[in-house]
Amino acid sequence: LEAKIEAAGAWDLQRTGEIAMDALRTPPGDWSVENLSGGEVRRVAMARRLLAKPDLLLLDEPFGALDEVTREQLDDELLRLWDEDGMTVVIVTHSLREAVYLAQRVVVMAGSAGPLVADTPIDFGTRTSSTRTDHAFNDEVQRVQRLLRAGGGG
């Protein structure tokens, strides 16, 4: 992604935006806010963040208001972009399944903005189209859920 944006030139904001939107698999068309779905608005926001070529990307419930299918698609896109660009991504989410799916490690907080009760690595292998139904994935989700309950966070 970075190489494509550099090749377009910083002066060509329209082309840079098109490249970023393409990276997020957003179909071409009228991208004015009133014509975008919730998922497309989230993609635009993500593309804007990526244009800055951050080393660190901080996301607070980036896909929280989306339907499950769109959320999973954007989770997959985020993993793909992270894999391509190697940036550090910190995500705040209330979804244990999303946390386990996206993370290399999960930090669990007790209650609302409470103390940290666990910091645990997530290692069940490469994410694929069948990951969310895999036993190892679901075992990790249950393990993190036990940590959350033990710490008073759920």
Side-chain angles (χ1 to χ4, degrees):
L1 176 62
E2 187 173 311
K4 288 180 182 178
I5 289 174
E6 286 178 13
W11 56 270
D12 190 349
L13 188 57
Q14 166 104 19
R15 180 68 186 128
T16 302
E18 289 170 1
I19 292 166
M21 295 301 286
D22 181 57
L24 291 168
R25 310 268 196 262
T26 300
D30 185 359
W31 292 335
S32 29
V33 174
E34 64 273 2
N35 294 324
L36 299 178
S37 70
E40 290 169 331
V41 169
R42 296 292 181 152
R43 287 184 181 104
V44 170
M46 185 71 68
R48 289 181 65 202
R49 288 181 188 108
L50 294 171
L51 286 174
K53 302 178 195 171
D55 293 327
L56 173 64
L57 186 61
L58 303 173
L59 303 171
D60 184 4
E61 294 282 349
F63 312 131
L66 301 176
D67 64 88
E68 187 173 354
V69 171
T70 303
R71 182 181 191 138
E72 288 181 0
Q73 289 171 342
L74 290 175
D75 285 346
D76 289 339
E77 289 303 315
L78 183 57
L79 279 177
R80 183 182 62 78
L81 290 169
W82 171 77
D83 187 48
E84 286 179 4
D85 293 343
M87 72 186 88
T88 298
V89 181
V90 176
I91 299 175
V92 174
T93 181
H94 288 90
S95 168
L96 294 179
R97 294 181 62 79
E98 181 175 55
V100 170
Y101 184 74
L102 292 174
Q104 292 180 322
R105 75 186 244 218
V106 170
V107 177
V108 179
M109 295 174 64
S112 178
L116 300 181
V117 296
D119 182 349
T120 184
I122 303 295
D123 187 22
F124 58 86
T126 304
R127 280 64 166 171
T128 67
S129 60
S130 63
T131 294
R132 289 182 180 95
T133 59
D134 187 72
H135 290 294
F137 170 75
N138 287 300
D139 289 347
E140 281 293 286
V141 171
Q142 289 175 9
R143 184 176 69 82
V144 171
Q145 187 172 43
R146 285 191 300 273
L147 291 170
L148 181 64
R149 287 185 177 149

